[in-house]
């Protein structure tokens, strides 16, 4: 948010305003910005998850439901909860599904309306960096997972190669806002995207934060030299 002094409450409101403004074009923007690669990253995540028919799954920051769509194509599962704080994003998500096994819940990742030890798998994809208090979000993830449950986070991260990192930084700073302005008429929203990625912790810092919340056997898998990473950890 540039040089603005942003309180936690204000950050939550500003982030929701950003996503409300771009909800209509959110899916097509993801395709343009990533040159379609976000679909490959999401498919890889679902393939890694080893989903079972009896799984009770929560998708936090579900947006328009890309991951849920992939899950349902792969396997009929017990129940999926699509959780998002943004009303407009959920409206577009609901239009995709007429499946009784998908429950749409409007809620904040920092305060999930579920009892302890409820889910087998917790997914958060390209959303954790938008959570105002990441520590609260991770604690909630740990709380709602069953013992033996698995936490999955797909998120932008830090490239390991300096040359790739230089190219990536310039792409984020110049190209993404330009695309955002052309397609959504909202350059600011995609300037925020760049800021949120830059401020997000790197792979090892995030892994430490996850394990500090009680998760075990944590690891991460890099894609595109670390532009994107999947973090995986378990609750015991």
């Amino acid at each position: 948010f540039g040089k603005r002094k942003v309180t936690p409450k204000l950050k939550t409101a500003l982030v929701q305003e950003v996503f409300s403004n771009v909800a209509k074009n959110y899916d097509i923007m993801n395709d343009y910005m990533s040159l379609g690669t976000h679909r490959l990253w999401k498919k890889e995540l679902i393939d890694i998850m080893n989903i079972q028919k009896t799984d009770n799954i929560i998708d936090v920051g579900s947006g328009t439901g890309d991951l849920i769509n992939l899950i349902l194509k792969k396997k009929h599962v017990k129940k999926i909860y699509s959780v998002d704080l943004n009303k407009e994003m959920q409206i577009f998500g609901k239009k995709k599904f007429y499946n009784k096994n998908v429950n749409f819940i409007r809620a904040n990742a920092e305060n999930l309306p579920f009892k302890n030890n409820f889910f087998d798998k917790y997914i958060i994809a390209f959303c954790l960096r938008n959570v105002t208090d990441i520590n609260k979000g991770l604690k909630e993830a740990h709380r709602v997972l069953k013992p033996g449950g698995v936490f999955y986070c797909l998120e932008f991260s830090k490239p390991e190669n300096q040359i790739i990192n230089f190219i990536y930084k310039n792409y984020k700073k110049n190209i993404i806002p330009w695309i955002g302005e052309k397609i959504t008429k909202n350059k600011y929203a995609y300037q925020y995207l760049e800021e949120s990625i830059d401020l997000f912790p790197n792979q090892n810092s995030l892994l430490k934060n996850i394990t500090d919340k009680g998760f075990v056997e944590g690891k991460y898998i890099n894609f595109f030299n670390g532009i994107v990473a999947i973090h995986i950890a378990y609750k015991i």
Side-chain angles (χ1 to χ4, degrees):
F1 300 107
K3 296 181 179 179
R4 301 171 68 178
K5 183 174 177 56
V6 179
T7 64
K9 186 176 181 179
L10 180 57
K11 177 183 175 180
T12 300
L14 289 172
V15 169
Q16 293 313 305
E17 182 182 352
V18 166
F19 283 101
S20 293
N21 288 336
V22 302
K24 183 178 180 181
N25 296 296
Y26 184 73
D27 290 334
I28 192 170
M29 269 302 299
N30 284 342
D31 282 330
Y32 275 107
M33 287 189 306
S34 70
L35 304 178
T37 53
H38 77 101
R39 296 181 182 275
L40 299 177
W41 300 330
K42 291 170 181 174
K43 184 179 183 302
E44 187 69 25
L45 170 62
I46 300 305
D47 288 343
I48 287 171
M49 284 178 62
N50 188 29
I51 294 168
Q52 304 299 310
K53 289 182 179 180
T54 56
D55 279 344
N56 199 18
I57 300 172
I58 181 171
D59 178 20
V60 175
S62 186
T64 58
D66 281 1
L67 289 177
I68 291 174
N69 193 39
L70 289 171
I71 291 169
L72 293 177
K73 284 181 178 179
K74 190 177 183 69
K75 187 164 289 189
H76 179 83
V77 297
K78 179 181 177 183
K79 187 76 73 175
I80 304 175
Y81 289 82
S82 173
V83 177
D84 205 289
L85 186 58
N86 189 273
K87 182 180 178 180
E88 284 74 18
M89 293 289 280
Q90 277 202 329
I91 288 171
F92 285 98
K94 287 178 180 179
K95 290 179 180 178
K96 290 184 179 180
F97 304 104
Y98 302 92
N99 187 302
K100 64 181 181 181
N101 289 336
V102 180
N103 285 356
F104 289 87
I105 307 292
R106 190 178 173 199
N108 194 318
E110 300 170 20
N111 186 23
L112 296 171
F114 302 102
K115 63 184 181 182
N116 297 348
N117 309 314
F118 190 70
F119 293 102
D120 299 285
K121 291 180 171 68
Y122 175 111
I123 316 168
I124 186 164
F126 301 118
C127 174
L128 188 59
R129 72 182 188 283
N130 298 316
V131 175
T132 301
D133 190 327
I134 291 175
N135 289 319
K136 283 185 179 179
L138 292 174
K139 286 178 181 177
E140 277 292 88
H142 189 272
R143 181 185 69 80
V144 300
L145 275 170
K146 298 176 183 178
V150 194
F151 169 88
Y152 300 91
C153 174
L154 173 64
E155 189 54 89
F156 292 110
S157 201
K158 301 293 186 290
E160 296 178 334
N161 182 279
Q162 289 186 355
I163 296 174
I164 293 175
N165 192 41
F166 175 78
I167 296 169
Y168 179 50
K169 278 187 174 182
N170 279 278
Y171 180 76
K172 284 186 299 178
K173 184 177 181 179
N174 300 308
I175 304 301
I176 287 179
W178 180 81
I179 295 173
E181 186 174 31
K182 293 298 180 183
I183 295 177
T184 69
K185 311 302 179 187
N186 192 331
K187 184 177 181 179
Y188 165 73
Y190 289 92
Q191 285 177 330
Y192 160 73
L193 175 65
E194 179 215 348
E195 291 178 11
S196 68
I197 295 171
D198 287 343
L199 293 170
F200 195 67
N202 65 30
Q203 290 91 323
N204 287 312
S205 295
L206 179 57
L207 183 60
K208 183 179 185 304
N209 202 350
I210 291 168
T211 55
D212 284 347
K213 300 303 177 294
F215 288 100
V216 299
E217 297 183 32
K219 64 178 182 179
Y220 63 84
I221 303 168
N222 279 336
F223 296 103
F224 286 29
N225 195 250
I227 288 176
V228 169
I230 297 175
H231 282 72
I232 304 169
Y234 301 81
K235 178 177 176 178
I236 56 173

